[in-house]
Amino acid sequence: MRDPRDVRLPPLAAIQAFEAVARLGSFERASAELGVTASAVGKRIGALETLLGTTLFSRGGRGAALTAAGREYLEQVRSALGLLSAASLRARSEPATEPLRVVSTPTFARQVLIPYLPEFTDSHPHVDLEILLSVPYLEITPPNADLWIRFGNGHYPGLHAERLTDDAVFPVCSPTYLKRHGPFERPADLARAALLRCPMEPWRPWFDAARLNWPEPARGVWLVDLGMMLAAAHAGQGVALTRRTLAAEWLDERKLVRLCGTSSPGGSQYYLCTEARKALQPGARDFSHWLHKLCQRVSAWP
């Protein structure tokens, strides 16, 4: 008898040979169905009987008659083969997922991507989306992405860049700060304001558009992230420069208010970048199309 501690699984080919002989009633017909010789079928079943430690067929007489142990084993085998077949059908029927790795700047991810991301994921359940963050000012970017959302001038060697935004830049502050230190109706009124500074959004282009012959501020809170600058402005720490795409939620909910009515063209914009020599997969193309439409929608004033 087979040692109960022997947990080796029988070869699938041997199980298939056993089931075919039991169903068709002969080794010859089973060999024709399986595409092997009758001798090979016999050897497979013999190996199976050795592994199980029991006889499955009576070898005498015409045809192949199952023993009592063979009949019991056949029920178990058919049940197992049915489960395997059903599992294979389910695996084939489930759509394959497409991985999509997107690298974004922190503020764009937080203010634009995340609030609207269910629009994309709900309509593209087959896309396995992964979002990672880069740090533009420190030039820290994760490698091996499918898409990059970058903030700059659009010139990135080795990458194909499509502009996502065409934002103007304008000053904002919190309603509380405006009440305490305002009004700021004319650009020159900002002389009494604390100007929040960020290397990603310098003040000098806005000063030029406002016809203020002022140098770049040398004092004030220095922040290396656009999102932190918005948060500082919301906390009442001063006046920040921003753009509609990033500050839409803050502006629409009156957490920040626009000042002076003067704006300047954004020297930097957001770009969606891909490897120039790499073709986009369907999920990446769908994400690109969705993101362009989203940026147009978010950047529009009510």
Side-chain angles (χ1 to χ4, degrees), residues 91-129:
R92 286 201 299 268
S93 64
E94 292 177 358
T97 59
E98 178 186 333
L100 177 59
R101 201 176 203 217
V102 179
V103 174
S104 173
T105 61
T107 305
F108 191 93
R110 185 168 52 248
Q111 299 298 122
V112 181
L113 276 185
I114 301 304
Y116 298 95
L117 201 57
E119 294 180 1
F120 180 80
T121 55
D122 289 350
S123 60
H124 297 79
H126 63 286
V127 176
D128 188 12
L129 183 62

PDB file of all heavy atoms in Angstrom, residues 91-129:
ATOM      1  N   ALA A  91      -9.549  32.102 -15.900  1.00  0.00           N
ATOM      2  CA  ALA A  91      -8.312  32.849 -16.149  1.00  0.00           C
ATOM      3  C   ALA A  91      -8.303  33.442 -17.552  1.00  0.00           C
ATOM      4  O   ALA A  91      -7.849  34.574 -17.762  1.00  0.00           O
ATOM      5  CB  ALA A  91      -7.101  31.944 -15.946  1.00  0.00           C
ATOM      6  N   ARG A  92      -8.825  32.684 -18.524  1.00  0.00           N
ATOM      7  CA  ARG A  92      -8.855  33.195 -19.897  1.00  0.00           C
ATOM      8  C   ARG A  92      -9.880  34.293 -20.078  1.00  0.00           C
ATOM      9  O   ARG A  92      -9.716  35.188 -20.895  1.00  0.00           O
ATOM     10  CB  ARG A  92      -9.144  32.049 -20.877  1.00  0.00           C
ATOM     11  CG  ARG A  92      -7.971  31.115 -21.099  1.00  0.00           C
ATOM     12  CD  ARG A  92      -8.137  30.351 -22.401  1.00  0.00           C
ATOM     13  NE  ARG A  92      -9.335  29.534 -22.416  1.00  0.00           N
ATOM     14  CZ  ARG A  92      -9.373  28.268 -22.049  1.00  0.00           C
ATOM     15  NH1 ARG A  92      -8.272  27.664 -21.623  1.00  0.00           N
ATOM     16  NH2 ARG A  92     -10.498  27.580 -22.098  1.00  0.00           N
ATOM     17  N   SER A  93     -10.978  34.217 -19.302  1.00  0.00           N
ATOM     18  CA  SER A  93     -12.049  35.196 -19.472  1.00  0.00           C
ATOM     19  C   SER A  93     -11.742  36.514 -18.785  1.00  0.00           C
ATOM     20  O   SER A  93     -12.299  37.545 -19.136  1.00  0.00           O
ATOM     21  CB  SER A  93     -13.367  34.629 -18.921  1.00  0.00           C
ATOM     22  OG  SER A  93     -13.280  34.397 -17.524  1.00  0.00           O
ATOM     23  N   GLU A  94     -10.852  36.512 -17.771  1.00  0.00           N
ATOM     24  CA  GLU A  94     -10.519  37.741 -17.088  1.00  0.00           C
ATOM     25  C   GLU A  94      -9.574  38.574 -17.952  1.00  0.00           C
ATOM     26  O   GLU A  94      -8.581  38.073 -18.458  1.00  0.00           O
ATOM     27  CB  GLU A  94      -9.850  37.437 -15.744  1.00  0.00           C
ATOM     28  CG  GLU A  94     -10.789  36.789 -14.737  1.00  0.00           C
ATOM     29  CD  GLU A  94     -10.078  36.439 -13.440  1.00  0.00           C
ATOM     30  OE1 GLU A  94      -8.845  36.671 -13.373  1.00  0.00           O
ATOM     31  OE2 GLU A  94     -10.740  35.951 -12.519  1.00  0.00           O
ATOM     32  N   PRO A  95      -9.878  39.857 -18.141  1.00  0.00           N
ATOM     33  CA  PRO A  95      -9.019  40.686 -18.989  1.00  0.00           C
ATOM     34  C   PRO A  95      -7.641  40.870 -18.370  1.00  0.00           C
ATOM     35  O   PRO A  95      -7.505  41.009 -17.152  1.00  0.00           O
ATOM     36  CB  PRO A  95      -9.778  42.018 -19.064  1.00  0.00           C
ATOM     37  CG  PRO A  95     -10.637  42.026 -17.837  1.00  0.00           C
ATOM     38  CD  PRO A  95     -11.012  40.590 -17.579  1.00  0.00           C
ATOM     39  N   ALA A  96      -6.640  40.860 -19.199  1.00  0.00           N
ATOM     40  CA  ALA A  96      -5.278  41.075 -18.718  1.00  0.00           C
ATOM     41  C   ALA A  96      -5.113  42.533 -18.287  1.00  0.00           C
ATOM     42  O   ALA A  96      -5.656  43.441 -18.899  1.00  0.00           O
ATOM     43  CB  ALA A  96      -4.280  40.729 -19.813  1.00  0.00           C
ATOM     44  N   THR A  97      -4.389  42.736 -17.203  1.00  0.00           N
ATOM     45  CA  THR A  97      -4.146  44.092 -16.740  1.00  0.00           C
ATOM     46  C   THR A  97      -2.931  44.674 -17.445  1.00  0.00           C
ATOM     47  O   THR A  97      -2.015  43.956 -17.839  1.00  0.00           O
ATOM     48  CB  THR A  97      -3.906  44.121 -15.225  1.00  0.00           C
ATOM     49  OG1 THR A  97      -2.774  43.292 -14.905  1.00  0.00           O
ATOM     50  CG2 THR A  97      -5.131  43.619 -14.478  1.00  0.00           C
ATOM     51  N   GLU A  98      -2.956  45.993 -17.613  1.00  0.00           N
ATOM     52  CA  GLU A  98      -1.846  46.706 -18.255  1.00  0.00           C
ATOM     53  C   GLU A  98      -1.205  47.629 -17.223  1.00  0.00           C
ATOM     54  O   GLU A  98      -1.852  48.560 -16.736  1.00  0.00           O
ATOM     55  CB  GLU A  98      -2.349  47.521 -19.437  1.00  0.00           C
ATOM     56  CG  GLU A  98      -1.247  48.326 -20.121  1.00  0.00           C
ATOM     57  CD  GLU A  98      -1.805  49.240 -21.195  1.00  0.00           C
ATOM     58  OE1 GLU A  98      -2.865  48.916 -21.765  1.00  0.00           O
ATOM     59  OE2 GLU A  98      -1.177  50.278 -21.457  1.00  0.00           O
ATOM     60  N   PRO A  99       0.042  47.389 -16.854  1.00  0.00           N
ATOM     61  CA  PRO A  99       0.690  48.283 -15.890  1.00  0.00           C
ATOM     62  C   PRO A  99       0.963  49.647 -16.515  1.00  0.00           C
ATOM     63  O   PRO A  99       1.314  49.752 -17.686  1.00  0.00           O
ATOM     64  CB  PRO A  99       1.989  47.548 -15.549  1.00  0.00           C
ATOM     65  CG  PRO A  99       2.266  46.688 -16.741  1.00  0.00           C
ATOM     66  CD  PRO A  99       0.927  46.293 -17.293  1.00  0.00           C
ATOM     67  N   LEU A 100       0.761  50.696 -15.724  1.00  0.00           N
ATOM     68  CA  LEU A 100       1.022  52.061 -16.188  1.00  0.00           C
ATOM     69  C   LEU A 100       1.674  52.825 -15.046  1.00  0.00           C
ATOM     70  O   LEU A 100       1.061  53.050 -14.003  1.00  0.00           O
ATOM     71  CB  LEU A 100      -0.272  52.745 -16.623  1.00  0.00           C
ATOM     72  CG  LEU A 100      -0.149  54.206 -17.052  1.00  0.00           C
ATOM     73  CD1 LEU A 100       0.817  54.341 -18.225  1.00  0.00           C
ATOM     74  CD2 LEU A 100      -1.518  54.782 -17.416  1.00  0.00           C
ATOM     75  N   ARG A 101       2.923  53.223 -15.255  1.00  0.00           N
ATOM     76  CA  ARG A 101       3.695  53.925 -14.231  1.00  0.00           C
ATOM     77  C   ARG A 101       3.812  55.387 -14.618  1.00  0.00           C
ATOM     78  O   ARG A 101       4.375  55.717 -15.661  1.00  0.00           O
ATOM     79  CB  ARG A 101       5.082  53.291 -14.099  1.00  0.00           C
ATOM     80  CG  ARG A 101       5.771  53.574 -12.787  1.00  0.00           C
ATOM     81  CD  ARG A 101       7.086  52.817 -12.708  1.00  0.00           C
ATOM     82  NE  ARG A 101       7.512  52.625 -11.344  1.00  0.00           N
ATOM     83  CZ  ARG A 101       8.780  52.668 -10.954  1.00  0.00           C
ATOM     84  NH1 ARG A 101       9.734  52.880 -11.846  1.00  0.00           N
ATOM     85  NH2 ARG A 101       9.097  52.469  -9.698  1.00  0.00           N
ATOM     86  N   VAL A 102       3.277  56.269 -13.752  1.00  0.00           N
ATOM     87  CA  VAL A 102       3.261  57.703 -14.019  1.00  0.00           C
ATOM     88  C   VAL A 102       4.052  58.416 -12.927  1.00  0.00           C
ATOM     89  O   VAL A 102       3.809  58.202 -11.740  1.00  0.00           O
ATOM     90  CB  VAL A 102       1.816  58.248 -14.055  1.00  0.00           C
ATOM     91  CG1 VAL A 102       1.814  59.749 -14.304  1.00  0.00           C
ATOM     92  CG2 VAL A 102       1.000  57.527 -15.126  1.00  0.00           C
ATOM     93  N   VAL A 103       4.983  59.260 -13.337  1.00  0.00           N
ATOM     94  CA  VAL A 103       5.756  60.074 -12.405  1.00  0.00           C
ATOM     95  C   VAL A 103       5.253  61.506 -12.513  1.00  0.00           C
ATOM     96  O   VAL A 103       5.166  62.067 -13.613  1.00  0.00           O
ATOM     97  CB  VAL A 103       7.265  60.003 -12.707  1.00  0.00           C
ATOM     98  CG1 VAL A 103       8.028  60.978 -11.825  1.00  0.00           C
ATOM     99  CG2 VAL A 103       7.773  58.592 -12.486  1.00  0.00           C
ATOM    100  N   SER A 104       4.926  62.111 -11.369  1.00  0.00           N
ATOM    101  CA  SER A 104       4.368  63.458 -11.368  1.00  0.00           C
ATOM    102  C   SER A 104       5.073  64.320 -10.325  1.00  0.00           C
ATOM    103  O   SER A 104       5.620  63.811  -9.344  1.00  0.00           O
ATOM    104  CB  SER A 104       2.866  63.405 -11.050  1.00  0.00           C
ATOM    105  OG  SER A 104       2.325  64.713 -10.885  1.00  0.00           O
ATOM    106  N   THR A 105       5.020  65.627 -10.531  1.00  0.00           N
ATOM    107  CA  THR A 105       5.465  66.546  -9.488  1.00  0.00           C
ATOM    108  C   THR A 105       4.478  66.471  -8.330  1.00  0.00           C
ATOM    109  O   THR A 105       3.291  66.182  -8.534  1.00  0.00           O
ATOM    110  CB  THR A 105       5.532  67.983 -10.015  1.00  0.00           C
ATOM    111  OG1 THR A 105       4.226  68.374 -10.441  1.00  0.00           O
ATOM    112  CG2 THR A 105       6.488  68.082 -11.189  1.00  0.00           C
ATOM    113  N   PRO A 106       4.917  66.734  -7.095  1.00  0.00           N
ATOM    114  CA  PRO A 106       4.026  66.568  -5.939  1.00  0.00           C
ATOM    115  C   PRO A 106       2.767  67.420  -5.992  1.00  0.00           C
ATOM    116  O   PRO A 106       1.662  66.926  -5.729  1.00  0.00           O
ATOM    117  CB  PRO A 106       4.919  66.955  -4.752  1.00  0.00           C
ATOM    118  CG  PRO A 106       6.309  66.700  -5.220  1.00  0.00           C
ATOM    119  CD  PRO A 106       6.306  67.045  -6.685  1.00  0.00           C
ATOM    120  N   THR A 107       2.903  68.713  -6.320  1.00  0.00           N
ATOM    121  CA  THR A 107       1.741  69.597  -6.294  1.00  0.00           C
ATOM    122  C   THR A 107       0.728  69.224  -7.362  1.00  0.00           C
ATOM    123  O   THR A 107      -0.483  69.217  -7.115  1.00  0.00           O
ATOM    124  CB  THR A 107       2.182  71.062  -6.465  1.00  0.00           C
ATOM    125  OG1 THR A 107       3.149  71.378  -5.469  1.00  0.00           O
ATOM    126  CG2 THR A 107       1.001  72.003  -6.319  1.00  0.00           C
ATOM    127  N   PHE A 108       1.197  68.911  -8.557  1.00  0.00           N
ATOM    128  CA  PHE A 108       0.277  68.511  -9.626  1.00  0.00           C
ATOM    129  C   PHE A 108      -0.456  67.230  -9.246  1.00  0.00           C
ATOM    130  O   PHE A 108      -1.665  67.109  -9.469  1.00  0.00           O
ATOM    131  CB  PHE A 108       1.044  68.309 -10.926  1.00  0.00           C
ATOM    132  CG  PHE A 108       0.165  68.147 -12.134  1.00  0.00           C
ATOM    133  CD1 PHE A 108      -0.181  69.247 -12.903  1.00  0.00           C
ATOM    134  CD2 PHE A 108      -0.327  66.903 -12.501  1.00  0.00           C
ATOM    135  CE1 PHE A 108      -0.998  69.099 -14.028  1.00  0.00           C
ATOM    136  CE2 PHE A 108      -1.138  66.748 -13.610  1.00  0.00           C
ATOM    137  CZ  PHE A 108      -1.478  67.851 -14.370  1.00  0.00           C
ATOM    138  N   ALA A 109       0.264  66.291  -8.664  1.00  0.00           N
ATOM    139  CA  ALA A 109      -0.377  65.040  -8.251  1.00  0.00           C
ATOM    140  C   ALA A 109      -1.437  65.303  -7.196  1.00  0.00           C
ATOM    141  O   ALA A 109      -2.555  64.770  -7.266  1.00  0.00           O
ATOM    142  CB  ALA A 109       0.665  64.065  -7.722  1.00  0.00           C
ATOM    143  N   ARG A 110      -1.111  66.136  -6.218  1.00  0.00           N
ATOM    144  CA  ARG A 110      -2.021  66.384  -5.102  1.00  0.00           C
ATOM    145  C   ARG A 110      -3.225  67.234  -5.511  1.00  0.00           C
ATOM    146  O   ARG A 110      -4.364  66.971  -5.105  1.00  0.00           O
ATOM    147  CB  ARG A 110      -1.256  67.051  -3.962  1.00  0.00           C
ATOM    148  CG  ARG A 110      -2.047  67.265  -2.694  1.00  0.00           C
ATOM    149  CD  ARG A 110      -1.139  67.645  -1.537  1.00  0.00           C
ATOM    150  NE  ARG A 110      -0.260  68.766  -1.869  1.00  0.00           N
ATOM    151  CZ  ARG A 110       1.054  68.669  -2.008  1.00  0.00           C
ATOM    152  NH1 ARG A 110       1.661  67.507  -1.866  1.00  0.00           N
ATOM    153  NH2 ARG A 110       1.788  69.747  -2.298  1.00  0.00           N
ATOM    154  N   GLN A 111      -2.993  68.260  -6.316  1.00  0.00           N
ATOM    155  CA  GLN A 111      -4.053  69.214  -6.631  1.00  0.00           C
ATOM    156  C   GLN A 111      -4.860  68.862  -7.877  1.00  0.00           C
ATOM    157  O   GLN A 111      -6.021  69.257  -7.992  1.00  0.00           O
ATOM    158  CB  GLN A 111      -3.446  70.611  -6.827  1.00  0.00           C
ATOM    159  CG  GLN A 111      -2.728  71.169  -5.613  1.00  0.00           C
ATOM    160  CD  GLN A 111      -3.653  71.340  -4.429  1.00  0.00           C
ATOM    161  OE1 GLN A 111      -3.420  70.784  -3.368  1.00  0.00           O
ATOM    162  NE2 GLN A 111      -4.718  72.087  -4.604  1.00  0.00           N
ATOM    163  N   VAL A 112      -4.266  68.121  -8.807  1.00  0.00           N
ATOM    164  CA  VAL A 112      -4.943  67.847 -10.077  1.00  0.00           C
ATOM    165  C   VAL A 112      -5.248  66.361 -10.241  1.00  0.00           C
ATOM    166  O   VAL A 112      -6.402  65.970 -10.462  1.00  0.00           O
ATOM    167  CB  VAL A 112      -4.107  68.360 -11.267  1.00  0.00           C
ATOM    168  CG1 VAL A 112      -4.835  68.104 -12.584  1.00  0.00           C
ATOM    169  CG2 VAL A 112      -3.800  69.842 -11.109  1.00  0.00           C
ATOM    170  N   LEU A 113      -4.227  65.520 -10.138  1.00  0.00           N
ATOM    171  CA  LEU A 113      -4.427  64.101 -10.411  1.00  0.00           C
ATOM    172  C   LEU A 113      -5.358  63.431  -9.412  1.00  0.00           C
ATOM    173  O   LEU A 113      -6.369  62.819  -9.783  1.00  0.00           O
ATOM    174  CB  LEU A 113      -3.087  63.374 -10.423  1.00  0.00           C
ATOM    175  CG  LEU A 113      -2.271  63.382 -11.709  1.00  0.00           C
ATOM    176  CD1 LEU A 113      -1.044  62.506 -11.542  1.00  0.00           C
ATOM    177  CD2 LEU A 113      -3.100  62.902 -12.887  1.00  0.00           C
ATOM    178  N   ILE A 114      -4.995  63.479  -8.133  1.00  0.00           N
ATOM    179  CA  ILE A 114      -5.689  62.688  -7.123  1.00  0.00           C
ATOM    180  C   ILE A 114      -7.176  63.019  -7.013  1.00  0.00           C
ATOM    181  O   ILE A 114      -8.016  62.109  -6.958  1.00  0.00           O
ATOM    182  CB  ILE A 114      -4.990  62.819  -5.763  1.00  0.00           C
ATOM    183  CG1 ILE A 114      -3.533  62.343  -5.866  1.00  0.00           C
ATOM    184  CG2 ILE A 114      -5.739  62.020  -4.698  1.00  0.00           C
ATOM    185  CD1 ILE A 114      -3.379  60.936  -6.396  1.00  0.00           C
ATOM    186  N   PRO A 115      -7.589  64.298  -6.980  1.00  0.00           N
ATOM    187  CA  PRO A 115      -9.027  64.575  -6.848  1.00  0.00           C
ATOM    188  C   PRO A 115      -9.877  64.019  -7.985  1.00  0.00           C
ATOM    189  O   PRO A 115     -11.050  63.705  -7.790  1.00  0.00           O
ATOM    190  CB  PRO A 115      -9.083  66.114  -6.812  1.00  0.00           C
ATOM    191  CG  PRO A 115      -7.733  66.534  -6.348  1.00  0.00           C
ATOM    192  CD  PRO A 115      -6.783  65.532  -6.946  1.00  0.00           C
ATOM    193  N   TYR A 116      -9.294  63.906  -9.184  1.00  0.00           N
ATOM    194  CA  TYR A 116     -10.073  63.487 -10.343  1.00  0.00           C
ATOM    195  C   TYR A 116      -9.727  62.079 -10.827  1.00  0.00           C
ATOM    196  O   TYR A 116     -10.313  61.602 -11.801  1.00  0.00           O
ATOM    197  CB  TYR A 116      -9.862  64.471 -11.498  1.00  0.00           C
ATOM    198  CG  TYR A 116     -10.319  65.873 -11.179  1.00  0.00           C
ATOM    199  CD1 TYR A 116      -9.415  66.823 -10.698  1.00  0.00           C
ATOM    200  CD2 TYR A 116     -11.644  66.253 -11.344  1.00  0.00           C
ATOM    201  CE1 TYR A 116      -9.827  68.112 -10.391  1.00  0.00           C
ATOM    202  CE2 TYR A 116     -12.068  67.542 -11.049  1.00  0.00           C
ATOM    203  CZ  TYR A 116     -11.150  68.465 -10.569  1.00  0.00           C
ATOM    204  OH  TYR A 116     -11.572  69.735 -10.275  1.00  0.00           O
ATOM    205  N   LEU A 117      -8.811  61.413 -10.155  1.00  0.00           N
ATOM    206  CA  LEU A 117      -8.314  60.126 -10.638  1.00  0.00           C
ATOM    207  C   LEU A 117      -9.402  59.056 -10.786  1.00  0.00           C
ATOM    208  O   LEU A 117      -9.324  58.235 -11.709  1.00  0.00           O
ATOM    209  CB  LEU A 117      -7.213  59.618  -9.708  1.00  0.00           C
ATOM    210  CG  LEU A 117      -6.259  58.580 -10.290  1.00  0.00           C
ATOM    211  CD1 LEU A 117      -5.593  59.103 -11.544  1.00  0.00           C
ATOM    212  CD2 LEU A 117      -5.202  58.194  -9.257  1.00  0.00           C
ATOM    213  N   PRO A 118     -10.440  59.017  -9.920  1.00  0.00           N
ATOM    214  CA  PRO A 118     -11.495  58.006 -10.126  1.00  0.00           C
ATOM    215  C   PRO A 118     -12.154  58.059 -11.493  1.00  0.00           C
ATOM    216  O   PRO A 118     -12.652  57.042 -11.978  1.00  0.00           O
ATOM    217  CB  PRO A 118     -12.493  58.317  -9.004  1.00  0.00           C
ATOM    218  CG  PRO A 118     -11.660  58.933  -7.920  1.00  0.00           C
ATOM    219  CD  PRO A 118     -10.626  59.745  -8.650  1.00  0.00           C
ATOM    220  N   GLU A 119     -12.166  59.232 -12.130  1.00  0.00           N
ATOM    221  CA  GLU A 119     -12.719  59.317 -13.485  1.00  0.00           C
ATOM    222  C   GLU A 119     -11.992  58.365 -14.425  1.00  0.00           C
ATOM    223  O   GLU A 119     -12.625  57.711 -15.262  1.00  0.00           O
ATOM    224  CB  GLU A 119     -12.588  60.741 -14.024  1.00  0.00           C
ATOM    225  CG  GLU A 119     -13.398  61.792 -13.307  1.00  0.00           C
ATOM    226  CD  GLU A 119     -13.201  63.172 -13.902  1.00  0.00           C
ATOM    227  OE1 GLU A 119     -12.431  63.289 -14.889  1.00  0.00           O
ATOM    228  OE2 GLU A 119     -13.804  64.123 -13.396  1.00  0.00           O
ATOM    229  N   PHE A 120     -10.685  58.283 -14.270  1.00  0.00           N
ATOM    230  CA  PHE A 120      -9.900  57.414 -15.149  1.00  0.00           C
ATOM    231  C   PHE A 120      -9.949  55.963 -14.690  1.00  0.00           C
ATOM    232  O   PHE A 120     -10.191  55.062 -15.498  1.00  0.00           O
ATOM    233  CB  PHE A 120      -8.449  57.887 -15.216  1.00  0.00           C
ATOM    234  CG  PHE A 120      -7.586  57.023 -16.102  1.00  0.00           C
ATOM    235  CD1 PHE A 120      -7.608  57.186 -17.477  1.00  0.00           C
ATOM    236  CD2 PHE A 120      -6.778  56.032 -15.561  1.00  0.00           C
ATOM    237  CE1 PHE A 120      -6.828  56.382 -18.306  1.00  0.00           C
ATOM    238  CE2 PHE A 120      -5.997  55.227 -16.372  1.00  0.00           C
ATOM    239  CZ  PHE A 120      -6.027  55.401 -17.741  1.00  0.00           C
ATOM    240  N   THR A 121      -9.710  55.718 -13.414  1.00  0.00           N
ATOM    241  CA  THR A 121      -9.630  54.335 -12.938  1.00  0.00           C
ATOM    242  C   THR A 121     -10.973  53.612 -13.063  1.00  0.00           C
ATOM    243  O   THR A 121     -10.998  52.414 -13.360  1.00  0.00           O
ATOM    244  CB  THR A 121      -9.153  54.295 -11.485  1.00  0.00           C
ATOM    245  OG1 THR A 121     -10.003  55.117 -10.666  1.00  0.00           O
ATOM    246  CG2 THR A 121      -7.720  54.814 -11.375  1.00  0.00           C
ATOM    247  N   ASP A 122     -12.079  54.310 -12.861  1.00  0.00           N
ATOM    248  CA  ASP A 122     -13.388  53.659 -12.985  1.00  0.00           C
ATOM    249  C   ASP A 122     -13.682  53.245 -14.423  1.00  0.00           C
ATOM    250  O   ASP A 122     -14.347  52.224 -14.655  1.00  0.00           O
ATOM    251  CB  ASP A 122     -14.503  54.593 -12.483  1.00  0.00           C
ATOM    252  CG  ASP A 122     -14.484  54.765 -10.977  1.00  0.00           C
ATOM    253  OD1 ASP A 122     -13.740  54.019 -10.304  1.00  0.00           O
ATOM    254  OD2 ASP A 122     -15.197  55.656 -10.473  1.00  0.00           O
ATOM    255  N   SER A 123     -13.221  54.025 -15.379  1.00  0.00           N
ATOM    256  CA  SER A 123     -13.489  53.715 -16.784  1.00  0.00           C
ATOM    257  C   SER A 123     -12.393  52.861 -17.425  1.00  0.00           C
ATOM    258  O   SER A 123     -12.547  52.425 -18.563  1.00  0.00           O
ATOM    259  CB  SER A 123     -13.666  55.012 -17.586  1.00  0.00           C
ATOM    260  OG  SER A 123     -12.498  55.804 -17.508  1.00  0.00           O
ATOM    261  N   HIS A 124     -11.305  52.632 -16.687  1.00  0.00           N
ATOM    262  CA  HIS A 124     -10.207  51.802 -17.203  1.00  0.00           C
ATOM    263  C   HIS A 124      -9.756  50.807 -16.129  1.00  0.00           C
ATOM    264  O   HIS A 124      -8.615  50.869 -15.643  1.00  0.00           O
ATOM    265  CB  HIS A 124      -9.025  52.671 -17.639  1.00  0.00           C
ATOM    266  CG  HIS A 124      -9.338  53.605 -18.762  1.00  0.00           C
ATOM    267  ND1 HIS A 124     -10.013  54.794 -18.580  1.00  0.00           N
ATOM    268  CD2 HIS A 124      -9.073  53.522 -20.096  1.00  0.00           C
ATOM    269  CE1 HIS A 124     -10.156  55.399 -19.746  1.00  0.00           C
ATOM    270  NE2 HIS A 124      -9.604  54.648 -20.681  1.00  0.00           N
ATOM    271  N   PRO A 125     -10.645  49.887 -15.734  1.00  0.00           N
ATOM    272  CA  PRO A 125     -10.292  48.958 -14.648  1.00  0.00           C
ATOM    273  C   PRO A 125      -9.156  48.012 -14.998  1.00  0.00           C
ATOM    274  O   PRO A 125      -8.544  47.422 -14.108  1.00  0.00           O
ATOM    275  CB  PRO A 125     -11.601  48.185 -14.420  1.00  0.00           C
ATOM    276  CG  PRO A 125     -12.339  48.295 -15.722  1.00  0.00           C
ATOM    277  CD  PRO A 125     -11.997  49.639 -16.266  1.00  0.00           C
ATOM    278  N   HIS A 126      -8.844  47.865 -16.285  1.00  0.00           N
ATOM    279  CA  HIS A 126      -7.773  46.957 -16.696  1.00  0.00           C
ATOM    280  C   HIS A 126      -6.393  47.598 -16.575  1.00  0.00           C
ATOM    281  O   HIS A 126      -5.379  46.903 -16.715  1.00  0.00           O
ATOM    282  CB  HIS A 126      -7.985  46.528 -18.146  1.00  0.00           C
ATOM    283  CG  HIS A 126      -7.916  47.660 -19.127  1.00  0.00           C
ATOM    284  ND1 HIS A 126      -8.942  48.589 -19.250  1.00  0.00           N
ATOM    285  CD2 HIS A 126      -6.946  48.042 -19.994  1.00  0.00           C
ATOM    286  CE1 HIS A 126      -8.602  49.470 -20.170  1.00  0.00           C
ATOM    287  NE2 HIS A 126      -7.395  49.174 -20.632  1.00  0.00           N
ATOM    288  N   VAL A 127      -6.344  48.906 -16.319  1.00  0.00           N
ATOM    289  CA  VAL A 127      -5.056  49.594 -16.199  1.00  0.00           C
ATOM    290  C   VAL A 127      -4.617  49.562 -14.737  1.00  0.00           C
ATOM    291  O   VAL A 127      -5.324  50.054 -13.850  1.00  0.00           O
ATOM    292  CB  VAL A 127      -5.154  51.047 -16.697  1.00  0.00           C
ATOM    293  CG1 VAL A 127      -3.828  51.781 -16.468  1.00  0.00           C
ATOM    294  CG2 VAL A 127      -5.520  51.075 -18.179  1.00  0.00           C
ATOM    295  N   ASP A 128      -3.467  48.980 -14.493  1.00  0.00           N
ATOM    296  CA  ASP A 128      -2.901  48.885 -13.147  1.00  0.00           C
ATOM    297  C   ASP A 128      -1.990  50.098 -12.954  1.00  0.00           C
ATOM    298  O   ASP A 128      -0.822  50.081 -13.291  1.00  0.00           O
ATOM    299  CB  ASP A 128      -2.117  47.579 -13.001  1.00  0.00           C
ATOM    300  CG  ASP A 128      -1.666  47.326 -11.581  1.00  0.00           C
ATOM    301  OD1 ASP A 128      -2.148  48.035 -10.676  1.00  0.00           O
ATOM    302  OD2 ASP A 128      -0.833  46.428 -11.366  1.00  0.00           O
ATOM    303  N   LEU A 129      -2.572  51.163 -12.387  1.00  0.00           N
ATOM    304  CA  LEU A 129      -1.912  52.466 -12.346  1.00  0.00           C
ATOM    305  C   LEU A 129      -1.027  52.601 -11.103  1.00  0.00           C
ATOM    306  O   LEU A 129      -1.424  52.256  -9.991  1.00  0.00           O
ATOM    307  CB  LEU A 129      -2.968  53.570 -12.359  1.00  0.00           C
ATOM    308  CG  LEU A 129      -2.483  55.015 -12.394  1.00  0.00           C
ATOM    309  CD1 LEU A 129      -1.696  55.284 -13.658  1.00  0.00           C
ATOM    310  CD2 LEU A 129      -3.678  55.964 -12.305  1.00  0.00           C
TER     311      LEU A 129
END
